Amino acid sequence: MSSPRPEAVASSRPEAVVEPAAVPLMNIANVLTVLRILIVPLFLLALFAAGGHDTTWRWIAAGLFGVAAITDRVDGQLARKYGLITDFGKLMDPIADKALIGAALIGLSMLHDLPWWITGVIVARELGITLLRLAVVRRGVIPAGRGGKLKTLVQSVAIAVLLLPLSGGFASAGMDLMYVAVVLTVVTGLDYVVQAGRLWFGSPGGSRAS
């Protein structure tokens, strides 16, 4: 009786299951997220330096804000492109975004460069949506849509313009952009509430907001 050929033995063995490699916690996307958080206190120091209206320090503050805002876009792109999405990133990325925007708005209001009601509306919306997200997370996730992304972009550009030591038409343009940001903030917030309500009460899931 002949022994089975090596090829036959090999083919009868079950194929080994290759487990996907775990995403390292210390990856470039998470590093940029942490960097954005670390920039926030440096940004505030620059914003309030020399009374808060020194030309040089305002340029520095605007530069720090710009760098932090750019990392917000870059880290998300890198995470999606190279599969670097982690639970840490999912948690800390929105926290870093809200810390940066909130610090800038409150700082500008304290320096009387932005009405407090605008800061109150935007900060209240962000806190409210964060709590709502936590409330419905077990029932599903509402992905970010174009409205939410546009809202964040307009907010960032408006803040950057208001941070710069500009006057005249440039300063007015910053406030005009901020009014647009407030409208987008309210509209996308209401949209998120509607989508969350549909999730909570069992209707087909939402698809927008941020």
Side-chain angles (χ1 to χ4, degrees):
M1 180 176 178
S2 59
S3 60
R5 290 180 299 173
E7 304 91 78
V9 173
S11 62
S12 64
R13 294 174 182 171
E15 295 183 1
V17 177
V18 179
E19 295 291 341
V23 179
L25 181 62
M26 289 300 294
N27 60 65
I28 184 61
N30 286 346
V31 168
L32 289 175
T33 297
V34 173
L35 176 63
R36 186 157 71 257
I37 295 174
L38 295 177
I39 287 177
V40 172
L42 298 177
F43 159 73
L44 288 174
L45 288 174
L47 180 60
F48 287 100
H53 290 97
D54 179 79
T55 299
T56 300
W57 282 108
R58 286 298 285 259
W59 277 104
I60 294 174
L64 289 170
F65 180 86
V67 169
I70 289 172
T71 66
D72 176 29
R73 184 171 184 82
V74 172
D75 64 5
Q77 290 178 336
L78 291 174
R80 289 186 294 271
K81 183 176 181 179
Y82 296 106
L84 300 177
I85 298 175
T86 63
D87 290 338
F88 176 85
K90 292 178 183 178
L91 174 66
M92 296 307 297
D93 186 67
I95 291 177
D97 299 341
K98 289 172 174 54
L100 178 65
I101 296 294
L105 292 172
I106 293 172
L108 286 169
S109 291
M110 291 178 67
L111 293 172
H112 307 291
D113 291 333
L114 182 69
W116 275 106
W117 72 265
I118 291 180
T119 296
V121 168
I122 295 177
V123 171
R125 184 270 191 195
E126 298 301 338
L127 290 177
I129 294 304
T130 298
L131 294 175
L132 189 58
R133 180 182 286 116
L134 293 175
V136 302
V137 68
R138 292 183 179 276
R139 296 176 180 267
V141 176
I142 303 175
R146 293 180 181 179
K149 294 176 182 177
L150 178 62
K151 176 264 301 179
T152 301
L153 175 62
V154 175
Q155 282 181 357
S156 298
V157 173
I159 290 171
V161 174
L162 291 175
L163 286 171
L164 293 172
L166 305 174
S167 59
F170 291 104
S172 299
M175 282 305 306
D176 291 340
L177 279 172
M178 187 57 73
Y179 291 135
V180 174
V182 171
V183 172
L184 290 172
T185 296
V186 173
V187 170
T188 56
L190 291 174
D191 181 59
Y192 193 99
V193 171
V194 172
Q195 300 299 327
R198 290 176 178 174
L199 266 181
W200 185 263
F201 294 107
S203 299
S207 61
R208 292 188 294 276
S210 123

